[in-house]
């Protein structure tokens, strides 16, 4: 399988660690948090992970410095795979401080998740 080139400033990859495979079909929303009112945000893009669990075209080619959030709709994924779901949604909030590409992977299992800054 050929890995797609990233086309957005922010990308993600979701892996189902319980099943040992990519998590395909996970809805993902990218938002920018308002710097003056952290309860407000602007939706930049909506996507769904591909068969490799990736979203390579999520939002603009460049984003200004600021606080961003990826929200993963895990309930739909767990329902489709017949797994229990303790976390029906996972939100990852992170800071963009430079113009580099930001890759934010998510590792899932029905009762836990983790994330990190990828490359």
């Amino acid at each position: 399988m050929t890995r797609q080139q990233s086309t957005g400033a922010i990308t993600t990859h979701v892996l189902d660690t319980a099943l040992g495979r990519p998590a395909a079909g996970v809805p993902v929303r990218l938002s920018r948090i308002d710097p003056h009112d952290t309860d407000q945000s602007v939706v930049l893009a909506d996507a769904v992970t591909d068969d490799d669990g990736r979203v390579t075209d999520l939002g603009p080619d460049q984003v200004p410095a600021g606080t961003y959030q990826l929200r993963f709709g895990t309930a739909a994924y767990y329902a489709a795979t017949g797994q229990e779901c303790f976390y029906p949604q996972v939100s990852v909030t992170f800071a963009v401080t430079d113009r580099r590409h930001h890759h934010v992977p998510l590792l899932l299992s029905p009762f836990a998740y983790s994330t990190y800054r990828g490359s």
Side-chain angles (χ1 to χ4, degrees), residues 53-76:
R54 296 179 185 275
V55 176
T56 58
D57 187 12
L58 184 63
D61 295 347
Q62 295 182 350
V63 294
T67 303
Y68 293 83
Q69 182 178 74
L70 286 171
R71 187 172 64 193
F72 301 88
T74 54

